[in-house]
Amino acid sequence: MREGGGQVTGEEDAGVLVGGDAYGGVKLPPTRPRRPIKSAKARRRNVLVAGFLSTGILVTTGVVWATPRQIGTVDAGVSPPSAHGAENILMVGIDKRDDLTRQQQNQLKLGREAGQRTDTMMVIHLSEDHKRVTVVSLPRDTWTTIPGKGDHKINSAYQFGGPKLTKQAVEAATGLQINRYIEVNILGFIDVVDSLGGVTVCTPVPINDPKTGLNLPAGTHQLQGVQALGYARTRATARSDLDRIDRQQQVISALLNRALSADTLANPGKLAAFVNSTLSTVKVDPDDGLLGLATQLRDVSLADVKFADVPLSNVDFRAPTGESAVLWDKQAARDMFARINADQDLAKPATPSPSPKPTNTSIPPQRITLKVKNGTLITGLGARSKAALVAYGFKVPGEPGNTTKKDYKKTVIRYNADREDWAKVVAAAIPGAELNKADVQGVEVILGSDQPKIAKPKATSIPSPKPSVTSTTKTAMENICKQ
């Protein structure tokens, strides 16, 4: 069994624990009767927490299947959360290579450079009623003011002053008070993915990145640990770090889905491997009271986990130092974090008063994922339509499917009630298509024998240096690839 953070693990053999105490001696197990097996709801809650932890989102002690161990600690100078209120958690992913063998570094194409550097930064907000989780990824190239150090990229705060300065920089940029700090060695993520048997991801565009050794055609893929890490870290697509954030959110959702699957919950060996590999990758605040956090998360499901992006004004900013960086849209970002601080659901309108539906140009196609099905017997219609929709800017993962009924005369855009704004953007790209509200996830296009003519992409539909500043959210369920 892998040891994490230099801690000692124990082995159980015929009722005697070897190496179970601080001195590596032998001690007898306690004579008190074993606790009854946890309920299905309790097991699900603990696995959800461990699933968050494995992707660097949430962490807790007291997972019932884990070998007793102490999670590593790090002092970030956070302000403790109130007993029952909302709270903000800062997760920092650290690229720590010191403990890797040369073979591992060659396999991961990391080079032999030692030391630590921040690779991922996320702010996680747990609502006051403990029923919603909002995850905001902070672009590591964000150009901001580091307290006491001047203007730099936000990920340089860790090099300047470790966890404490990183926490201060995030608080200064977001206006949020950070209540918990989690530091994850992202290279340990490999073992976590492998313990679950891999994860399923889907990319709308091919990825060929010699730097990470990743070469994937467009479509759905089952990835093991090394490939999954490369997928989550590569920047070899059009939007660089912004696309990388989308992929990381997708991998997080896939891991949570796999961790909560019946295949994992019903397999004690797989479950123990997952939890143990997870616990060995993290460090948290001293005396963080994380067991209480597990209790608070007992009612959270995948549908309650929402991802949001920071509104940006410039993704191609040239800093005075000559570095390429990104700038936040100050007012839009300020409004978004103010809503988070007020414990508002970003998926709902900012005010309780009725507000107009977004116009067709309010959401860029690049933020919309579609499912395409051929409702006819016309060969190749699905592939042609997918190509045109991708050219327009939409994300269309996987190969087009086929409907059971083959006599659709008109093309139909089916959408969930929560995605009417997406459906209207799609309708603008497919003139003449019918809009139908249905019990589906997201938006799907069923192609009819009218063989829809996809509109030519407008200039505003092509990826540009200034993405929409509208705050949009996506749930973990919507991130999961459909097979």
Side-chain angles (χ1 to χ4, degrees):
M1 185 172 295
R2 180 177 174 179
E3 297 181 4
Q7 303 299 323
V8 179
T9 59
E11 296 180 3
E12 187 172 358
D13 184 13
V16 177
L17 299 181
V18 181
D21 60 16
Y23 303 99
V26 176
K27 70 176 183 180
L28 295 176
T31 57
R32 66 177 182 272
R34 292 186 178 182
R35 293 181 180 179
I37 297 175
K38 297 283 186 179
S39 68
K41 185 174 182 179
R43 292 198 303 271
R44 182 184 178 281
R45 175 197 70 204
N46 287 336
V47 173
L48 176 65
V49 176
F52 271 123
L53 176 154
S54 69
T55 53
I57 300 255
L58 300 175
V59 63
T60 182
T61 56
V63 182
V64 295
W65 307 276
T67 300
R69 71 171 75 214
Q70 181 180 359
I71 298 176
T73 59
V74 59
D75 185 7
V78 298
S79 303
S82 60
H84 302 291
E87 58 185 81
N88 302 305
I89 304 163
L90 173 61
M91 189 288 296
V92 175
I94 301 298
D95 179 349
K96 186 176 186 296
R97 313 177 185 189
D98 305 56
D99 298 332
L100 295 180
T101 65
R102 178 172 295 186
Q103 180 181 2
Q104 288 172 319
Q105 293 199 23
N106 288 339
Q107 185 183 21
L108 295 171
K109 297 187 180 296
L110 295 173
R112 299 187 177 90
E113 190 176 355
Q116 297 186 137
R117 50 202 57 79
T118 54
D119 192 77
T120 300
M121 300 178 75
M122 294 181 180
V123 173
I124 303 101
H125 176 80
L126 174 63
S127 66
E128 185 174 3
D129 60 9
H130 306 150
K131 294 181 179 179
R132 288 183 290 107
V133 175
T134 303
V135 183
V136 182
S137 297
L138 307 182
R140 67 178 186 176
D141 291 342
T142 295
W143 191 255
T144 190
T145 300
I146 308 295
K149 299 296 180 180
D151 291 344
H152 298 275
K153 290 184 179 181
I154 198 168
N155 71 337
S156 66
Y158 196 94
Q159 283 86 349
F160 284 133
K164 287 187 176 180
L165 187 57
T166 300
K167 189 268 301 186
Q168 293 169 13
V170 171
E171 287 184 333
T174 64
L176 301 175
Q177 184 181 72
I178 299 300
N179 308 120
R180 300 182 192 269
Y181 176 89
I182 300 173
E183 185 173 295
V184 182
N185 179 8
I186 61 170
L187 301 181
F189 165 87
I190 295 171
D191 292 338
V192 175
V193 174
D194 286 340
S195 72
L196 291 173
V199 293
T200 302
V201 302
C202 43
T203 172
V205 297
I207 301 175
N208 187 3
D209 184 3
K211 290 183 179 179
T212 62
L214 187 71
N215 190 351
L216 296 176
T220 301
H221 304 276
Q222 178 76 9
L223 304 183
Q224 297 303 311
V226 172
Q227 274 192 309
L229 179 60
Y231 181 79
R233 299 185 71 191
T234 182
R235 301 172 79 174
T237 49
R239 296 166 66 241
S240 188
D241 195 47
L242 302 182
D243 281 340
R244 194 179 79 123
I245 286 174
D246 287 343
R247 285 190 291 272
Q248 288 177 349
Q249 293 175 353
Q250 185 187 123
V251 170
I252 288 170
S253 301
L255 271 174
L256 286 174
N257 186 51
R258 183 62 63 89
L260 289 170
S261 68
D263 180 54
T264 301
L265 292 175
N267 187 328
K270 190 173 185 178
L271 194 55
F274 162 63
V275 174
N276 287 334
S277 61
T278 295
L279 295 179
S280 68
T281 67
V282 300
K283 292 182 179 180
V284 299
D285 310 308
D287 304 320
D288 197 29
L290 291 171
L291 187 56
L293 181 58
T295 302
Q296 294 174 25
L297 286 167
R298 64 182 177 272
D299 296 323
V300 174
S301 68
L302 283 179
D304 301 317
V305 180
K306 295 184 175 70
F307 296 96
D309 298 329
V310 178
L312 304 175
S313 64
N314 192 343
V315 298
D316 194 23
F317 174 69
R318 185 62 58 183
T321 58
E323 299 172 273
S324 179
V326 299
L327 295 179
W328 294 5
D329 183 286
K330 292 184 179 180
Q331 185 59 54
R334 187 181 300 116
D335 291 345
M336 183 185 77
F337 286 113
R339 292 190 63 195
I340 291 175
N341 198 42
D343 204 32
Q344 296 180 14
D345 187 345
L346 295 184
K348 297 180 179 179
T351 61
S353 58
S355 57
K357 292 286 184 181
T359 63
N360 287 349
T361 59
S362 64
I363 301 175
Q366 292 78 18
R367 300 297 304 162
I368 298 175
T369 301
L370 305 178
K371 193 170 187 177
V372 174
K373 293 181 179 180
N374 189 348
T376 75
L377 294 173
I378 302 172
T379 303
L381 179 60
R384 293 196 303 272
S385 299
K386 172 186 173 176
L389 288 167
V390 170
Y392 193 92
F394 296 109
K395 294 180 181 179
V396 189
E399 295 302 318
N402 295 295
T403 59
T404 303
K405 191 175 73 167
K406 304 293 183 183
D407 58 351
Y408 279 86
K409 290 184 169 45
K410 293 207 65 166
T411 296
V412 179
I413 300 169
R414 305 175 74 213
Y415 63 93
N416 183 278
D418 293 336
R419 289 305 180 193
E420 184 176 358
D421 51 352
W422 283 19
K424 288 184 177 180
V425 178
V426 178
I430 312 177
E434 292 183 356
L435 277 170
N436 285 344
K437 188 184 299 184
D439 185 17
V440 297
Q441 288 189 351
V443 178
E444 65 179 27
V445 177
I446 299 180
L447 303 168
S449 57
D450 56 349
Q451 301 190 50
K453 302 297 187 290
I454 313 300
K456 296 290 185 182
K458 300 176 182 178
T460 54
S461 300
I462 300 173
S464 68
K466 294 191 176 183
S468 168
V469 299
T470 303
S471 176
T472 58
T473 61
K474 188 185 332 182
T475 69
M477 285 298 296
E478 291 172 314
N479 262 342
I480 296 170
C481 300
K482 307 303 175 187
Q483 299 186 65

